[in-house]
Amino acid sequence: MTKPKINPAAVGVFIAGAIVILFASLVIFGSGRFFRSTKDMLLTFREPVTGLDVGAPVKLMGVTIGKVKQISITVGQGPTNALLVSVVIEIDRKGSQAAFRDYPIDLDDRAKFDRLIQEHGLRGRLEVLSLLSGQLYIALDMYPGEEGF
């Protein structure tokens, strides 16, 4: 009995096809998150965040620019040692630049970003995403002249 001969071209086509299928599935099922550039930011709330879940949208003046990445409770500094809710949000760099078309935001330059927060009053607050389910999202907006919390 003779051994069947393996065709090297068929093996090559099979491997190339497997690589193409793997890459396509990463793009389709990964929603492009492997190729997206993001920046993590920390927001602190003094109020309960009941209804806010990991994965909830972060919107800047109604435009979705990110999502909630992590929620935790911390003890605040000061005489009261009040409990604070720390929320880490993930901002999509491309989405935030598109939202601020006329005003470039440099998320990597801490001094410029802090100036934006102080001068233009960039603040985050909880808003209702769904009245039926009670889900919340984070709304970022500008409140010029208002002091930070």
Side-chain angles (χ1 to χ4, degrees):
M1 190 145 163
T2 62
K3 268 185 164 179
K5 204 168 195 182
I6 297 174
N7 186 352
V11 172
V13 168
F14 178 77
I15 291 173
I19 290 171
V20 167
I21 290 172
L22 177 67
F23 182 73
S25 64
L26 282 176
V27 170
I28 291 170
F29 296 116
S31 301
R33 67 178 166 208
F34 298 112
F35 307 108
R36 193 171 21 148
S37 176
T38 60
K39 177 79 173 180
D40 290 352
M41 296 185 168
L42 177 68
L43 300 177
T44 304
F45 294 96
R46 293 184 182 145
E47 60 189 291
V49 295
T50 305
L52 184 68
D53 295 317
V54 172
V58 174
K59 298 182 179 195
L60 176 64
M61 299 182 73
V63 178
T64 301
I65 62 166
K67 66 179 182 175
V68 173
K69 187 174 181 180
Q70 179 183 357
I71 302 171
S72 60
I73 297 175
T74 58
V75 177
Q77 302 296 325
T80 62
N81 290 335
L83 292 177
L84 302 172
V85 180
S86 297
V87 179
V88 177
I89 60 173
E90 184 179 69
I91 302 293
D92 180 22
R93 292 175 188 270
K94 195 174 185 181
S96 64
Q97 289 300 331
F100 273 107
R101 212 172 308 155
D102 297 330
Y103 189 87
I105 295 179
D106 189 358
L107 296 175
D108 293 320
D109 188 340
R110 180 65 188 244
K112 283 183 183 177
F113 192 73
D114 284 347
R115 201 169 329 118
L116 169 75
I117 291 171
Q118 294 306 318
E119 290 175 4
H120 297 285
L122 181 63
R123 303 284 184 262
R125 68 180 190 281
L126 299 171
E127 291 289 331
V128 177
L129 182 65
S130 169
L131 288 172
L132 187 61
S133 65
Q135 288 181 310
L136 299 177
Y137 71 95
I138 303 227
L140 299 177
D141 212 337
M142 302 291 190
Y143 299 96
E146 258 188 44
E147 283 294 315
F149 305 111

